[in-house]
Amino acid sequence: KSNLQEAQIIADSLSSEQAYAAIEGFLLGNYRFDNYFRKENKKPTVESLTIINEPISTPQIDELRIISEAVRFAKDLINEPASHLSSVTLGERITEKAVEAGIKVEVMNKRKIEALKMGGLLGVNQGSEEPPVFICMDYKPETAINTAPLVLIGKGVIFDTGGLNLKTGNFMENMKLDMGGAAAVSAALIAIAQLKLPVHVMAFIPSTDNRPGKNALAPGDVITISDGTTVEVLNTDAEGRLILADALVWAKQYNPKLVINIATLTGSAARAIGSYGMVGMQQEATEEMKELQACGEKVHERIVEFPFWEEYDDQIKGDIADLKNLGGPEAGAITAGKFLAYFTNYPFIHLDIAGPVFTEKKDSYRGKGATGICVRLLTEYAKILAQKQ
């Protein structure tokens, strides 16, 4: 309200943990996305912050700067309108930041994706005039304590119209947020690398937009995922699970320690718990989920674990193909997760961030618009893995 450009936090009486939390809240709340305002209409943000607190250390301050900048990067990507961000430019922006952090990056183009027969990603892309990409990131420091990598997978649908099952009303209005998973995993991995955590982490991002073009998938079409699984597409607005299936198959070759999937996958998850947390499911990763939930409590990015009973598998069995991309009218978040789990043979956690990824009105330090959910969660989890050794 004061439009300050410089500020001090005088926190002599606070512990290092309390000071850390206060500064983190300040840095996160200081974010604004004002790229498209004229200069005279932009409101100032704090450019210089001084902290007066003896217990807090320089490494803690450095960590705060790295993590808050990573959250800012994720927010910028999500808030960017689709008119200014394609899958190709997403790959370029992630590559630029990742290479600076010492991460190996490969952005596969459409020809390579076709050669790999990634039918889920190619199928969703059929209606678009923009080509898809598949982004692979690899951070493997010489000091890595894990021989099997931690793999992060993020849904990268640049804009989701629903395809031929076109979204109605105002449900399409903010669908630039549908690449929130891609933004989260890329930003988190950049933070992990900049913090020089001794953990081998990889990230895979399938990216396209979902448009109702003349060649778009139609309800009833059958596509083939890269492992040969056939899928009956009952609804083209259930597209995220299709592109993620190819990424989950791709991860198998690395024999991962754990795969964490981040996606704005279902309205069902948002309706279940609102914007106060995310819905989580796990397969063969009970202890890992408990650790991730503990990290979520610490950074206030909370996870509610849903059941993953085998009875839900029946709801995604196809009538004319191996699977169908839509379950029944109930338990939509779970059946979407079950669809993903079909393509795994490793410990697997799925986080549906449809509820907390984007705020319609200002919400404390989360602000308005993209929240950058899961950047701090995943970074904290990597810190815990490093400390366990």
Side-chain angles (χ1 to χ4, degrees):
K1 290 179 180 178
S2 300
N3 290 329
L4 298 176
Q5 292 181 278
E6 296 182 5
Q8 289 185 345
I9 294 179
I10 301 172
D12 285 335
S13 62
L14 299 185
S15 68
S16 62
E17 290 80 9
Q18 291 170 329
Y20 187 104
I23 298 161
E24 184 176 36
F26 187 102
L27 294 174
L28 295 173
N30 190 47
Y31 173 86
R32 282 200 186 102
F33 186 77
D34 57 5
N35 296 11
Y36 301 105
F37 283 104
R38 293 172 62 172
K39 186 176 181 179
E40 59 268 28
N41 291 332
K42 290 186 179 184
K43 295 180 180 179
T45 56
V46 176
E47 300 293 337
S48 174
L49 175 64
T50 302
I51 298 98
I52 300 173
N53 175 264
E54 187 173 348
I56 200 164
S57 65
T58 299
Q60 284 178 299
I61 295 295
D62 290 339
E63 179 181 292
L64 274 168
R65 177 183 54 77
I66 287 169
I67 294 174
S68 64
E69 286 180 359
V71 174
R72 177 179 291 269
F73 176 62
K75 287 184 172 186
D76 279 348
L77 289 178
I78 300 166
N79 283 326
E80 194 74 64
S83 57
H84 290 69
L85 186 73
S86 66
S87 293
V88 172
T89 53
L90 175 69
E92 292 170 349
R93 289 178 66 169
I94 289 174
T95 297
E96 181 181 4
K97 285 277 188 181
V99 170
E100 288 176 3
I103 300 168
K104 293 180 180 177
V105 185
E106 179 185 5
V107 180
M108 299 182 191
N109 60 20
K110 185 174 183 179
R111 183 176 296 180
K112 182 70 177 288
I113 293 167
E114 288 172 337
L116 294 170
K117 299 180 179 179
M118 292 185 172
L121 181 52
L122 291 168
V124 175
N125 182 250
Q126 282 178 201
S128 176
E129 295 184 3
E130 299 284 345
V133 299
F134 188 75
I135 305 167
C136 300
M137 307 171 68
D138 188 3
Y139 168 65
K140 188 177 183 180
E142 293 181 1
T143 56
I145 48 89
N146 53 323
T147 52
L150 168 66
V151 171
L152 310 176
I153 292 177
K155 175 184 171 183
V157 174
I158 297 296
F159 192 87
D160 181 19
T161 67
L164 290 183
N165 289 112
L166 200 66
K167 293 178 184 291
T168 57
N170 63 352
F171 289 107
M172 202 192 304
E173 185 177 337
N174 286 317
M175 277 299 108
K176 62 182 182 179
L177 63 77
D178 218 16
M179 40 70 67
V185 301
S186 59
L189 187 48
I190 289 165
I192 290 165
Q194 290 177 330
L195 291 169
K196 295 181 168 45
L197 297 180
V199 184
H200 182 198
V201 188
M202 307 180 79
F204 304 132
I205 298 168
S207 182
T208 178
D209 52 4
N210 183 25
R211 302 272 185 173
K214 63 180 181 179
N215 296 318
L217 280 176
D221 283 354
V222 173
I223 62 172
T224 304
I225 306 301
S226 49
D227 67 347
T229 301
T230 55
V231 178
E232 185 180 358
V233 180
L234 298 186
N235 190 309
T236 62
D237 197 19
E239 84 298 332
R241 64 202 73 181
L242 301 178
I243 71 172
L244 290 167
D246 283 320
L248 293 164
V249 171
W250 182 256
K252 289 180 179 179
Q253 64 187 295
Y254 299 99
N255 298 312
K257 168 188 176 65
L258 172 69
V259 171
I260 303 176
N261 183 78
I262 313 289
T264 49
L265 206 63
T266 67
S268 177
R271 286 189 294 272
I273 62 171
S275 64
Y276 303 111
M278 65 196 90
V279 167
M281 288 150 260
Q282 60 82 18
Q283 185 165 279
E284 299 179 9
T286 303
E287 292 305 313
E288 291 89 344
M289 175 64 94
K290 289 179 182 177
E291 291 174 340
L292 197 61
Q293 284 180 302
C295 291
E297 292 295 329
K298 182 174 180 180
V299 302
H300 206 66
E301 295 186 351
R302 297 167 294 182
I303 304 167
V304 177
E305 185 176 0
F306 274 22
F308 223 35
W309 302 317
E310 63 183 18
E311 285 86 350
Y312 292 112
D313 292 323
D314 292 338
Q315 294 191 34
I316 58 169
K317 290 180 179 177
D319 294 322
I320 63 169
D322 298 320
L323 298 177
K324 54 187 178 184
N325 78 327
L326 205 63
E330 300 171 341
I334 298 173
T335 53
K338 277 292 188 180
F339 182 94
L340 299 177
Y342 181 91
F343 298 95
T344 70
N345 63 355
Y346 38 69
F348 174 61
I349 292 176
H350 164 54
L351 301 178
D352 192 328
I353 61 171
V357 71
F358 200 89
T359 61
E360 300 292 340
K361 58 183 179 180
K362 186 170 173 56
D363 178 16
S364 184
Y365 65 89
R366 298 202 300 175
K368 181 180 180 181
T371 63
I373 191 80
C374 283
V375 176
R376 292 159 61 238
L377 172 70
L378 295 173
T379 306
E380 182 67 23
Y381 184 67
K383 285 167 56 182
I384 296 299
L385 288 183
Q387 291 166 8
K388 283 173 67 175
Q389 299 299 319

